[in-house]
């Protein structure tokens, strides 16, 4: 049952209500909605809705129609994000768990861990208790294996995912493990589910070999009903009549699960296919289908692996897969972050120190693309602040009120955002990173709105430009400019006028709006690049890109002389743009992005040469362009 509380309900009233409900044998879950306060209640003996509505503070009682309650989206509309140390599963960054099927020995396990971390895995998998079909097959190293996993965590910082096969192992799991895996064969081992429900650690719940989605969610419900709501679902293939692959990967489960439950879902293409060559294609498909992450078996010597060798990727295959995912992820609004764990480590010691607070600032409202860029780059764990102009972002970072700022610099269709290029010149700040987002625009309106009846459309001018073709088909609409797309959506929501609509992404924080038409941008290959600015803080990861600004004297060949330096040193120019110098009409500054770390010791000579050939020279920073080449 969902109890919607009255707007003015006080904290004391809520606590009193919870007490009453608990004393009647209900389990009570408070759900922090943006606009509504809701209590989810679950129990064996429900009463009539009218009874609950008579309790003080309750406005409406709505029954949950599904047999699973705590896991259902009806009860909690916002997606759950499960935290494992610094890693967040279900957020904007893809989470890849990798490692061998089983822990077989110390040296090899550590070696695999170092490799998968380098290629972008953020959690490590490896079984110490293996539930094998044959009693004569390798059963796992037991506690010895767990000790090796603990060493992996200590050395690499990767959180540990490992399988628990019996409630008797609960203490060991508490001691050594970060995520407890419930294997497919144990999905309906209810005593085990209850036991992990009480363990208080995140649980990776695999789908049973022949379990329906409803049965799977009922198993998750067992865990939540014991008080543990940190459950990650894992589709790992189901048994069908098809024998070519080990199992049949039911990718439909991904969007179905996303609709039915707020819990995150990851996909295991290794056990689903059982064939090494089929793992990467299905992994790519899983991400395209909307999965929050993957769990993949990787082994340095799969031919000698004690279990699941034929489905384990070679390290090079895993590396290639991660590079592919890096490209695919932004298409579905996500990001692969190679420096995920390193960034978290950098942000940590800052808190409490005397440097700028470890906050990140952006211009716009929550739900805007700039907000999303912050989440994708820094994750939801880092405190974010917003302000109302790009200049303010620069000011706040410059005055050390925020450690980092995130601003857009260019769009693949509409070109550079000149204001920020000028601010980069004006302020003495450095570029510490970059992140690229796919910009998908939807026409958003109230659920009662009809496209044919619209009169006014709100959005940011850039968004109007990016949706030009669609807007030209509707010449009667008044286009009204707003600060950003998220505030445009907010405005329509507040006006409550079905003749109004907004163009924007319609991200989760603004609920209650309907997508009237999806993907109205003229060109779907619409990406915006954001840069991360900071006063001094560089971020981890190999720096493989640099930005500089310079001007040259007004003489023939002066620009050419500078470009020659790049050619002679085999440096690729990825962007070259000129901007007028404000005080000198018809003279220009050149903004150059280079595919190298120009600040590196062995490049000093190049930097000096450039300074000689230029009138004005400013180094904007070296940073990681995200891709993996130079690792
Ligand atoms: C495993 O992850 O190694 C495993 C045994 O998986 P499943 O339970 O999905 O077969
Ligand atoms: Mn396995």
């Amino acid at each position: 049952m969902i109890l919607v509380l009255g707007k003015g309900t006080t904290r004391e009233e809520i606590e009193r209500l919870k007490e009453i409900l608990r004393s009647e044998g209900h389990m009570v879950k408070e759900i922090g909605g943006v606009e509504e306060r809701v209590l989810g209640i679950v129990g064996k003996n429900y009463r009539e809705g009218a009874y609950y509505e008579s309790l003080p503070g309750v406005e409406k009682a709505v029954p949950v129609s599904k047999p699973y309650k705590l896991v259902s989206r009806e009860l909690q509309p916002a997606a759950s994000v499960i935290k494992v140390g610094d890693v967040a599963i279900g957020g904007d960054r893809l989470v890849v768990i990798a490692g061998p099927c089983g822990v077989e020995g110390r040296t090899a396990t550590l070696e695999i861990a170092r490799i998968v971390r380098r290629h972008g895995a953020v959690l490590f998998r490896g079984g110490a208790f293996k539930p094998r079909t044959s009693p004569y097959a390798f059963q796992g190293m037991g506690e010895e294996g767990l000790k090796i996993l603990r060493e992996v965590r200590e050395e690499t910082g990767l959180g540990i995912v490992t399988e628990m096969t019996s409630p008797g192992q609960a203490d060991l799991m508490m001691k050594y493990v970060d995520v407890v895996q419930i294997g497919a064969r144990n999905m309906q081992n209810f005593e085990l589910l209850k036991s992990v429900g009480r363990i208080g650690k995140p649980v990776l719940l695999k789908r049973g070999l022949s379990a329906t989605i409803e049965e799977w969610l009922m198993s998750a419900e067992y865990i939540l009903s014991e008080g543990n709501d940190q459950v990650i679902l894992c589709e790992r293939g189901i048994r069908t009549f098809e024998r070519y692959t080990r199992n049949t990967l039911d990718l439909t489960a991904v969007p179905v699960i996303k609709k039915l439950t707020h819990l995150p879902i990851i996909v295991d293409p290794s056990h689903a296919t059982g064939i090494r060559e089929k793992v990467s294609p299905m992994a790519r498909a899983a991400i395209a289908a909307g999965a929050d992450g993957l769990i993949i078996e990787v082994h340095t010597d799969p031919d000698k692996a004690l279990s699941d060798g034929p489905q384990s990727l070679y390290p090079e295959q895993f590396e290639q897969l991660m590079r592919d995912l890096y490209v695919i992820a932004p298409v579905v609004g996500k990001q692969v972050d190679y420096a995920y764990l390193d960034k978290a480590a950098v942000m940590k010691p800052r808190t409490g120190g005397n440097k700028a607070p470890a906050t990140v600032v952006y211009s716009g409202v929550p739900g805007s693309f700039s907000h999303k860029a912050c989440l994708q780059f820094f994750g939801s764990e880092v405190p974010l602040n917003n302000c109302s102009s790009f200049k303010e972002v620069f000011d706040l970072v410059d005055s050390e009120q925020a450690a980092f700022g995130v601003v857009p610099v260019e769009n693949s269709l509409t070109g550079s955002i000149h204001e920020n290029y000028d601010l980069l010149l004006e302020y003495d700040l450095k570029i510490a990173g970059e992140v690229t987002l796919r910009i998908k625009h939807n026409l958003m309106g109230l659920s009662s709105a009809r496209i044919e009846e619209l009169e006014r459309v709100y959005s940011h001018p850039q968004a109007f430009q990016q949706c030009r073709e669609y807007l030209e088909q509707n010449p009667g609409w008044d286009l009204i400019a707003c600060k950003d797309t998220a505030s445009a959506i907010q405005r329509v929501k507040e006006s409550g006028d079905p003749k109004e609509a907004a163009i924007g992404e319609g991200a989760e924080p603004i609920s209650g709006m309907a997508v009237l038409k999806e993907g109205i941008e003229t060109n779907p290959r619409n990406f915006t690049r954001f840069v991360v600015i900071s006063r001094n803080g560089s971020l981890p990861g190999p720096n493989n890109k640099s930005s500089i600004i310079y001007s040259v004297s007004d003489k023939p060949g002066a620009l050419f002389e500078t470009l020659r330096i790049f050619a002679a040193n085999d440096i690729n120019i990825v962007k070259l743009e000129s901007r007028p110098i404000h005080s000198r009409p018809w003279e220009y500054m050149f903004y150059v992005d280079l595919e190298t770390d120009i600040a590196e010791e062995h490049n000093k000579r190049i930097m000096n040469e450039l300074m000689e050939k230029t009138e004005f020279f400013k180094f904007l920073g070296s940073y990681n362009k995200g891709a993996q080449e130079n690792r």
Side-chain angles (χ1 to χ4, degrees), residues 92 362-363 365-376 384 509 530:
D92 276 336
Y362 65 94
S363 164
V365 294
S368 60
F369 287 111
S370 288
H371 179 220
K372 190 161 176 175
C374 292
L375 289 174
Q376 295 210 348
L384 303 180
F530 295 77

Side-chain angles (χ1 to χ4, degrees), residues 49 99-100 111 122 182 218 257 263 307 325 343 369 410 430 468 494 568 604:
E111 191 192 348
V122 292
I182 297 296
M218 290 308 289
I257 284 289
L263 298 174
S307 58
L325 298 180
K343 266 188 215 157
F369 287 111
E410 66 174 328
K430 293 271 177 291
R468 200 167 41 89
E494 277 161 17
K604 277 268 153 62

Side-chain angles (χ1 to χ4, degrees), residues 101 125 130 271 297 308 311:
C101 177
R125 65 147 292 146
K130 298 302 303 173
H271 294 88
E297 288 184 341
D308 288 349
Q311 68 194 33

